[in-house]
Amino acid sequence: MKKLILFFMLCAVSSAALQARTVDVSAAYIGSSRFDQVRAGAAAALSLNLLAGVEAKYIKEKDFKDPIYSVNVPFRMDFDLLKINITPFYYFKNKSDNPAYQDASAYGLATQFIMTLEDDEVNDLYTHAYIGVAYARQKGTAFYDDGSESDENYSQMAYTLGLHKNFFRAFGFEAAASVFQYPDGITRLKSFRGVMDQQELAFTQTFDVVHDLAKYTLGARITRMWTDNHSTLYLGYRYGEYYTADPEHSFMVGNSFTVARAVSADIAYNHVRTIHNDNKRDILYARLAVSF
């Protein structure tokens, strides 16, 4: 039933894109020693107030025999003082080659409400506050502190508060905090083997694929903007504590710029490590987008 609903949503987005005012097409690669990820997506401005899109993801991880496939179908509604983002997502079943593990899949919905606190068009200054609420349901294998294992259908929720502000038409600052809730319980759980990237629920200033179950994350980003050249240089940081892993730091540096008319690129480097430095990852990100 979930696949059937998803199919009709994809058909609706594809049909609407044919009548769209503008269409943006993008492709991205994210890679590290632990995984390779490819993303491809399209977004269509259907009217002045509505944007719809679709994004497919392919992830090849060392911990899974087969690649992980997922799809997102984002919608954005733009009003005078409020923007609403709604993104359903679905992870297709990943069959396990180990009989002790359950086949893994996931689905969920992420929403974000962006409120305009300041909008000075004359001086090009703005301040936005946003609230995010997300829900996901995973199917996978839970591992407990006493060594037992259990096939589970596991629910999660995430709540995010954030602020985005620019200064002097040249600098931008963003700060966000996310907390995670587990309606099915988190006690005695050592780890959970699932396919879902936790950043479907809340982006936490990293390009890593995150499967560990978080308690909370705190993140910030500083951006230097050259608006006349449509380019930026940004620095991001995130600290997070987890129920199923050691606390982590994430450091990010990136550059977005215009390649040619209607063509833009974004290139970034992300270093992630635990507070004890026993798990370090270096991640590269590259994205190319074209507008029609």
Side-chain angles (χ1 to χ4, degrees), residues 197-246:
D197 184 353
Q198 297 290 315
Q199 294 199 100
E200 301 284 7
L201 303 178
F203 177 65
T204 58
Q205 298 297 338
T206 180
F207 294 115
D208 199 9
V209 176
V210 181
H211 295 303
D212 290 309
L213 306 181
K215 296 180 182 179
Y216 68 89
T217 61
L218 303 171
R221 178 182 292 205
I222 299 174
T223 305
R224 174 65 169 99
M225 302 176 290
W226 292 269
T227 54
D228 294 337
N229 297 326
H230 302 286
S231 64
T232 67
L233 179 66
Y234 56 87
L235 298 171
Y237 170 76
R238 180 264 284 157
Y239 174 79
E241 289 198 3
Y242 298 83
Y243 289 103
T244 58
D246 289 334

Side-chain angles (χ1 to χ4, degrees), residues 134-238:
Y135 169 82
R137 182 79 168 167
Q138 288 203 75
K139 182 180 180 181
T141 305
F143 300 86
Y144 293 97
D145 291 334
D146 60 6
S148 63
E149 302 172 7
S150 175
D151 292 341
E152 300 281 354
N153 286 291
Y154 196 65
S155 295
Q156 299 176 235
M157 297 193 72
Y159 306 92
T160 300
L161 289 176
L163 181 72
H164 190 195
K165 182 176 178 60
N166 73 337
F167 302 90
F168 314 116
R169 300 184 69 247
F171 296 94
F173 174 75
E174 181 179 2
S178 298
V179 295
F180 296 80
Q181 179 188 10
Y182 303 91
D184 294 326
I186 197 68
T187 58
R188 302 188 301 107
L189 191 65
K190 183 178 180 180
S191 64
F192 186 86
R193 184 183 186 274
V195 292
M196 188 186 76
D197 184 353
Q198 297 290 315
Q199 294 199 100
E200 301 284 7
L201 303 178
F203 177 65
T204 58
Q205 298 297 338
T206 180
F207 294 115
D208 199 9
V209 176
V210 181
H211 295 303
D212 290 309
L213 306 181
K215 296 180 182 179
Y216 68 89
T217 61
L218 303 171
R221 178 182 292 205
I222 299 174
T223 305
R224 174 65 169 99
M225 302 176 290
W226 292 269
T227 54
D228 294 337
N229 297 326
H230 302 286
S231 64
T232 67
L233 179 66
Y234 56 87
L235 298 171
Y237 170 76
R238 180 264 284 157

Side-chain angles (χ1 to χ4, degrees), residues 4-67:
L4 185 62
I5 295 173
L6 181 63
F7 172 76
F8 283 119
M9 292 177 66
L10 292 174
C11 289
V13 171
S14 300
S15 175
L18 297 176
Q19 309 173 37
R21 302 162 63 94
T22 61
V23 177
D24 297 326
V25 178
S26 64
Y29 168 78
I30 307 173
S32 72
S33 60
R34 190 170 59 87
F35 70 90
D36 291 286
Q37 179 178 145
V38 177
R39 302 177 181 177
L46 307 181
S47 69
L48 290 175
N49 304 103
L50 178 62
L51 182 144
V54 60
E55 182 182 47
K57 300 178 185 178
Y58 161 97
I59 309 174
K60 181 60 179 175
E61 294 189 63
K62 288 185 175 181
D63 294 337
F64 293 89
K65 178 182 178 181
D66 297 322

Side-chain angles (χ1 to χ4, degrees), residues 48-99:
L48 290 175
N49 304 103
L50 178 62
L51 182 144
V54 60
E55 182 182 47
K57 300 178 185 178
Y58 161 97
I59 309 174
K60 181 60 179 175
E61 294 189 63
K62 288 185 175 181
D63 294 337
F64 293 89
K65 178 182 178 181
D66 297 322
I68 298 171
Y69 297 95
S70 67
V71 62
N72 293 19
V73 187
F75 296 89
R76 181 185 181 100
M77 292 171 282
D78 192 347
F79 305 102
D80 288 340
L81 299 177
L82 177 67
K83 297 178 178 63
I84 303 174
N85 296 334
I86 301 174
T87 306
F89 58 87
Y90 183 80
Y91 279 73
F92 295 91
K93 181 184 292 187
N94 190 282
K95 291 187 174 295
S96 176
D97 59 333
N98 187 331

